[in-house]
């Protein structure tokens, strides 16, 4: 889990959480009644203010020397980040299985997998809508940018598949070491390793056309936009025919983008944080282009404009995230 993920939390603490897009703010509602509201509509004034904010903080670009330094020190910056924050991460992603039920399709109804409350009060386990895999077949999940395991460990906890193998990679050796030292790290069902996803060749413990699901959670945004197409192509290379890509990441004009001061921008919509880590802010078309060019077929492409509130300080915070699902075509 990275700094991106910390910024991307909703603040919700209940494991029973509606899928985004189900909690609407209407006229007359108390905006501070809940921690977050979904699918917030922006008016022209707010859109223009966001555009002006990005234009202002993008005017002054980092020098080529500073960009080169950030690139050279990237591994050190992420190792330092995990060294400092290793005990300060959210331990579970309550939204993970409501948005991506494909990750634990064999979880049993009545378990503590996050559930969705339907109109009328009926509780539905999200994974019940996903086809249960053949128990005789081995299923593989590969998370790129696993951090300290905040996606990996919930999958291992909620899925009772006998033949599941979760591969987990991260650019930071510090993050991988923290993950491996966890008491929840089960070498029979999980294998974690260091990987630079931007490398020309991937040194991975599996073959091409072998992975059922590739997961990217607030990770692709940390990669230089010029290398993103290569990463998308590699993902397509290792997915098996019919395999699925799941991604959730920052959207254009998210609060995190608007907070940057001039002088932190490397290139359009790509910034350096104070700790040296990098972040890009996507549009839906950005992701559609990347993965379509890689030969994958779009199944979901959603922008989630959410209003978060700090009820203690009475502060409103407008977040924008993107979520996509792309599938590798099956061979005939």
């Amino acid at each position: 889990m990275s700094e991106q993920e910390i910024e991307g939390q909703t603040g919700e603490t209940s494991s029973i959480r509606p899928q985004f897009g189900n909690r609407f703010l209407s006229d007359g509602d108390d905006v501070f009644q809940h921690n977050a509201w979904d699918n917030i509509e922006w008016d022209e004034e707010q859109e223009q203010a966001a555009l002006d904010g990005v234009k202002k903080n993008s005017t002054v670009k980092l020098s080529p020397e500073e960009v080169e330094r950030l690139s050279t020190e990237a591994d050190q910056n992420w190792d330092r980040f995990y060294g400092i924050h290793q005990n300060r991460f959210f331990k579970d992603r309550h939204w993970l299985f409501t948005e991506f039920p494909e990750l634990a399709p064999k979880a049993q109804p009545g378990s503590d997998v996050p559930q969705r409350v339907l109109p009328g009060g009926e509780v539905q386990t999200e994974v019940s809508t996903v086809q249960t895999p053949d128990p005789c077949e081995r299923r593989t999940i590969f998370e790129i940018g696993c951090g300290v395991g905040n996606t990996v460990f919930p999958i291992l906890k909620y899925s009772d598949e006998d033949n599941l193998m979760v591969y987990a990679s991260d650019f930071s050796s510090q993050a991988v070491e923290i993950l491996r030292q966890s008491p929840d790290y089960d070498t029979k069902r999980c294998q974690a390793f260091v990987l630079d996803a931007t490398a020309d060749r991937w040194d991975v413990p599996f073959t091409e056309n072998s992975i059922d699901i590739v997961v990217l959670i607030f990770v692709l945004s940390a990669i230089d936009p010029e290398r993103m197409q290569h990463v998308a192509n590699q993902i397509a290379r290792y997915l098996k025919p019919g395999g699925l890509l799941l991604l959730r990441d920052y959207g254009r004009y998210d609060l995190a983008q608007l907070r940057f001061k001039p002088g932190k921008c490397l290139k359009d919509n790509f910034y350096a944080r104070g700790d040296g880590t990098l972040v890009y802010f996507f549009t839906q078309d950005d992701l559609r282009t990347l993965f379509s060019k890689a030969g994958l077929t779009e199944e979901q492409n959603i922008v989630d404009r959410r209003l978060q509130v700090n009820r203690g300080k009475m502060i409103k915070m407008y977040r924008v995230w993107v979520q996509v699902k792309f599938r590798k075509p099956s061979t005939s």
Side-chain angles (χ1 to χ4, degrees):
M1 177 173 162
S2 69
E3 184 180 31
Q4 290 94 316
E5 166 64 7
I6 292 177
E7 290 178 348
Q9 292 295 319
T10 66
E12 300 281 355
T13 56
S14 172
S15 62
I16 299 179
R17 173 197 176 278
Q19 186 180 39
F20 76 69
N22 289 353
R23 178 179 287 170
F24 301 105
L25 180 63
S26 302
D27 291 339
D29 285 337
D30 177 4
V31 71
F32 294 103
Q33 179 183 359
H34 298 291
N35 290 332
W37 299 89
D38 298 309
N39 288 359
I40 296 298
E41 295 292 334
W42 288 19
D43 57 27
E44 291 185 8
E45 182 178 354
Q46 189 171 2
E47 290 275 4
Q48 188 61 49
L51 183 62
D52 292 343
V54 169
K55 183 177 179 180
K56 180 179 179 180
N57 70 23
S58 303
T59 302
V60 181
K61 297 290 197 298
L62 291 173
S63 68
E65 293 77 18
E66 290 174 306
V67 173
E68 177 62 27
R69 178 181 60 80
L70 287 170
S71 177
T72 302
E73 298 176 357
D75 56 343
Q76 301 172 42
N77 290 334
W78 279 113
D79 283 345
R80 186 180 305 112
F81 172 83
Y82 284 111
I84 294 172
H85 298 288
Q86 60 178 285
N87 295 318
R88 295 174 58 191
F89 294 101
F90 292 89
K91 299 302 181 184
D92 205 340
R93 291 170 167 168
H94 299 297
W95 51 267
L96 186 63
F97 299 110
T98 57
E99 307 307 339
F100 299 134
E102 299 88 351
L103 292 174
K106 200 183 173 186
Q108 297 300 312
S111 70
D112 55 352
V113 171
Q115 298 170 320
R116 180 184 299 171
V117 179
L118 301 177
E122 179 186 355
V123 176
Q124 175 188 15
T125 302
E126 283 302 303
V127 293
S128 65
T129 62
V130 178
Q131 183 177 1
T132 301
D134 186 336
C136 297
E137 293 186 3
R138 185 171 185 259
R139 200 167 77 102
T140 55
I141 297 174
F142 175 36
E143 184 182 16
I144 302 171
C146 63
V148 296
N150 292 74
T151 292
V152 170
F153 292 136
I155 293 173
L156 296 177
K157 174 182 178 180
Y158 293 127
S159 177
D160 61 357
E161 297 170 75
D162 295 330
N163 293 324
L164 176 69
M165 172 55 72
V166 179
Y167 296 104
S169 74
D170 200 277
F171 184 53
S172 168
S173 58
Q174 178 83 354
V176 172
E177 183 59 26
I178 293 171
L179 188 153
R180 287 174 174 168
Q181 294 302 316
S182 170
D184 296 321
Y185 182 59
D186 181 357
T187 56
K188 295 180 180 178
R189 305 177 72 211
C190 182
Q191 186 172 346
F193 54 93
V194 177
L195 174 68
D196 178 0
T198 67
D200 290 338
R201 296 180 62 87
W202 284 6
D203 182 11
V204 293
F206 45 79
T207 61
E208 296 180 8
N209 300 299
S210 67
I211 298 297
D212 289 282
I213 297 177
V214 171
V215 183
L216 291 168
I217 305 293
F218 292 98
V219 169
L220 192 61
S221 53
I223 293 173
D224 189 313
E226 294 183 7
R227 296 297 291 170
M228 288 181 185
Q229 189 62 61
H230 169 70
V231 174
N233 294 344
Q234 288 291 89
I235 289 170
R237 182 189 304 273
Y238 284 94
L239 275 174
K240 65 169 53 172
L244 189 65
L245 164 74
L246 306 176
L247 177 148
R248 187 169 171 87
D249 217 320
Y250 287 115
R252 189 70 49 82
Y253 307 137
D254 178 65
L255 173 66
Q257 181 177 17
L258 301 182
R259 280 180 170 174
F260 278 105
K261 304 297 183 183
K264 293 295 184 180
C265 187
L266 286 77
K267 56 187 72 174
D268 288 350
N269 304 299
F270 190 47
Y271 302 82
R273 298 187 182 89
D275 60 6
T277 60
L278 307 178
V279 58
Y280 181 84
F281 297 87
F282 293 97
T283 65
Q284 291 172 280
D285 284 341
D286 286 337
L287 295 169
R288 179 175 292 118
T289 298
L290 281 173
F291 295 110
S292 295
K293 283 186 175 180
L296 305 183
T297 301
E298 181 180 299
E299 292 194 352
Q300 182 189 73
N301 191 335
I302 296 171
V303 60
D304 178 16
R305 293 176 183 254
R306 182 172 301 182
L307 171 59
Q308 294 182 341
V309 299
N310 183 319
R311 288 184 279 184
K313 297 181 179 180
M314 305 293 282
I315 296 174
K316 300 177 184 179
M317 299 168 286
Y318 290 90
R319 307 311 307 266
V320 183
W321 299 310
V322 287
Q323 180 170 302
V324 302
K325 300 180 183 182
F326 280 80
R327 191 175 299 277
K328 185 172 181 175
S330 299
T331 56
S332 56

